[in-house]
Amino acid sequence: MQLSRRAIPYTPFTKELSGATIALLSTAGVHLKSQTPYDVEGDSSYREIPGDVNASDLTVTHNHYDTSQALQDINCVFPIDRLRELHHDGVIGGVAPMHFGMMGYTLRMRQVIDETAPEIARKIEHSPTDAVLLTGG
Amino acid sequence: MHVQRAIEAIGIPTILITVEPEQSAQARPPRAVHPVNHRLGWPVGHAGAVEVQRKTVEHALACLVHPVEPGTIRTYED
């Protein structure tokens, strides 16, 4: 069944936050420095970012916003260190083993809807993740 | 954004931090929060602003626990 654009999918959050494992997904163009950068002319692909990543190994490739803050501190757009602190302090139950980066700009929206988004959703479904925190640029 | 809807549709709750609420609203996000003092490039908080970033993340996660009508973009001021 195709979901209408007017419909809003909604899954209740039924766990205690202190027991929940959280994943990040950013459309700010976040990726590992060792990964292929996004095509700034438009890119519908995504990058997997391991949960134990060192923040200094991350960067952003995007030209639709001023990336200077994110290049100084990736947590501006991808708060991985903040999640770890919240886990350490018992606010959340854990940091997911896999997070995701996208560029958020593409002329191939149909590809995002039909391929990229369902593929990411399936990967998250099959990983120990209770909720996803998303950030834009 | 479409990926948020796809994740939610598969049964995983989501929360979006957005600094472009008008644009985000067009994609009909299941849950979203708009930190009104933040801007494009630093939706979670300025570089090095650890406390602000943490409060933004905590506030967003609290929106999972205390839901409002799906599609509502809540504002947040730090």
Side-chain angles (χ1 to χ4, degrees):
Chain A
M1 185 182 74
Q2 185 75 33
L3 192 66
S4 163
R5 274 195 76 245
R6 296 190 303 279
I8 302 170
Y10 181 80
T11 299
F13 181 74
T14 53
K15 291 194 82 159
E16 293 287 330
L17 194 55
S18 59
T21 298
I22 309 295
L24 297 176
L25 190 156
S26 174
T27 56
V30 179
H31 61 90
L32 285 164
K33 289 174 181 171
S34 60
Q35 291 172 325
T36 306
Y38 300 99
D39 179 353
V40 294
E41 300 302 320
D43 198 327
S44 57
S45 66
Y46 66 93
R47 306 287 182 270
E48 294 184 11
I49 299 167
D52 61 356
V53 68
N54 190 326
S56 63
D57 291 333
L58 292 168
T59 189
V60 291
T61 300
H62 212 300
N63 65 357
H64 286 192
Y65 73 94
D66 179 355
T67 56
S68 59
Q69 292 282 317
L71 289 171
Q72 284 180 59
D73 177 3
I74 201 72
N75 291 281
C76 295
V77 293
F78 190 81
I80 187 73
D81 290 327
R82 302 296 83 80
L83 271 194
R84 289 192 183 119
E85 290 158 10
L86 291 172
H87 177 217
H88 179 266
D89 294 345
V91 177
I92 62 172
V95 178
M98 191 61 66
H99 307 267
F100 295 86
M102 297 176 70
M103 210 202 71
Y105 174 70
T106 178
L107 298 175
R108 297 179 173 178
M109 275 317 296
R110 182 44 61 187
Q111 193 170 20
V112 171
I113 294 167
D114 291 343
E115 297 175 27
T116 311
E119 194 172 314
I120 292 173
R122 275 195 298 275
K123 288 192 173 179
I124 290 173
E125 185 187 24
H126 292 111
S127 76
T129 298
D130 297 308
V132 180
L133 175 65
L134 299 101
T135 58
Chain B
M1 56 181 84
H2 293 286
V3 69
Q4 182 182 15
R5 290 166 56 90
I7 297 165
E8 196 91 29
I10 215 163
I12 309 282
T14 63
I15 173 73
L16 168 69
I17 298 173
T18 179
V19 288
E20 294 183 304
E22 292 83 10
Q23 191 178 322
S24 296
Q26 290 176 16
R28 304 181 74 72
R31 297 181 195 78
V33 59
H34 171 212
V36 294
N37 299 326
H38 299 193
R39 297 290 176 267
L40 211 56
W42 44 282
V44 183
H46 269 124
V50 172
E51 276 308 306
V52 170
Q53 293 174 0
R54 177 178 167 128
K55 283 180 179 164
T56 305
V57 172
E58 279 194 276
H59 185 83
L61 294 173
C63 293
L64 287 168
V65 182
H66 305 289
V68 292
E69 183 176 336
T72 305
I73 298 178
R74 300 196 225 190
T75 57
Y76 163 65
E77 190 165 353
D78 55 35

